[in-house]
Amino acid sequence: GPGLSRKGELKAEQARAFGAQEDTMTFDDLMNEAGRKLGVELVTHDGMTRLTIDDMEVSVLEIVALDAVALSGVIGEPPPQGLAPLYRAMLEANFNFAGTAGATLSVSPEDGALTLARLVPLACLDADAFLSILEGFVNVLEAWRKIVADYRPDAPGEAPPAPSAGAPQISDGFLPV
């Protein structure tokens, strides 16, 4: 009926608003093309690809229900105490993505690990755009891993600094791609 037609129109409008490519690649095609450009084979299993970049594992997942790709990486284990300043720095970095370059910092409900995740509409991606986003994601992941590794909760009143130099800068609320 007309509702289905309008839903399709809305999806197309949203895709165009986010800079969607005319011919949207499938997740498998995106991973194959990105792997070709990197000179490696990216193995996809059940809609997920795992990459190791500079000793950091990044999972790339196809989120079919959202027609999107999710990037996810573990920052590390939080210290056993003195978490308030660290969590505050993470929340401040999440605010308007100021210290995350479009990603989100969180705590895994499964194991308590600090994580970084980013969701990107598949329609906005070709291999070059994906690799650019991946590079920015890895830079932010690396910066937060250093912050957590260097964090000393016993330093009085010291909140860890949010990364800025290592993170791609956001202008007008959007990450340059």
Side-chain angles (χ1 to χ4, degrees):
L4 292 177
S5 172
R6 182 65 185 142
K7 185 176 178 183
E9 289 173 23
L10 284 174
K11 189 171 181 179
E13 287 173 22
Q14 289 170 332
R16 282 192 299 278
F18 281 104
Q21 308 298 318
E22 287 299 317
D23 296 318
T24 301
M25 298 180 92
T26 67
F27 178 76
D28 289 337
D29 290 343
L30 178 64
M31 292 299 99
N32 289 335
E33 183 63 16
R36 188 185 66 72
K37 287 182 175 271
L38 290 172
V40 297
E41 181 181 357
L42 297 181
V43 179
T44 300
H45 182 69
D46 290 336
M48 182 169 69
T49 300
R50 292 186 193 269
L51 303 132
T52 302
I53 303 167
D54 297 335
D55 296 325
M56 292 179 284
E57 186 174 291
V58 175
S59 297
V60 184
L61 300 100
E62 178 182 24
I63 310 295
V64 176
L66 299 175
D67 199 25
V69 173
L71 299 150
S72 178
V74 174
I75 295 168
E77 296 299 317
Q81 60 201 16
L83 290 172
L86 178 61
Y87 284 168
R88 179 170 179 98
M90 291 173 68
L91 287 169
E92 288 175 357
N94 275 340
F95 182 72
N96 290 333
F97 308 103
T100 63
T104 303
L105 296 160
S106 62
V107 175
S108 168
E110 294 173 8
D111 60 10
L114 303 176
T115 63
L116 183 71
R118 176 148 186 212
L119 190 68
V120 183
L122 187 58
C124 297
L125 295 175
D126 60 16
D128 291 329
F130 170 76
L131 292 173
S132 177
I133 288 170
L134 177 64
E135 180 180 13
F137 182 84
V138 168
N139 289 342
V140 173
L141 182 61
E142 183 176 38
W144 275 100
R145 285 174 65 127
K146 181 171 178 10
I147 287 169
V148 170
D150 293 347
Y151 178 63
R152 299 293 170 256
D154 50 2
E158 287 293 315
S164 58
Q169 296 302 303
I170 300 172
S171 62
D172 301 325
F174 294 99
L175 175 68
V177 205

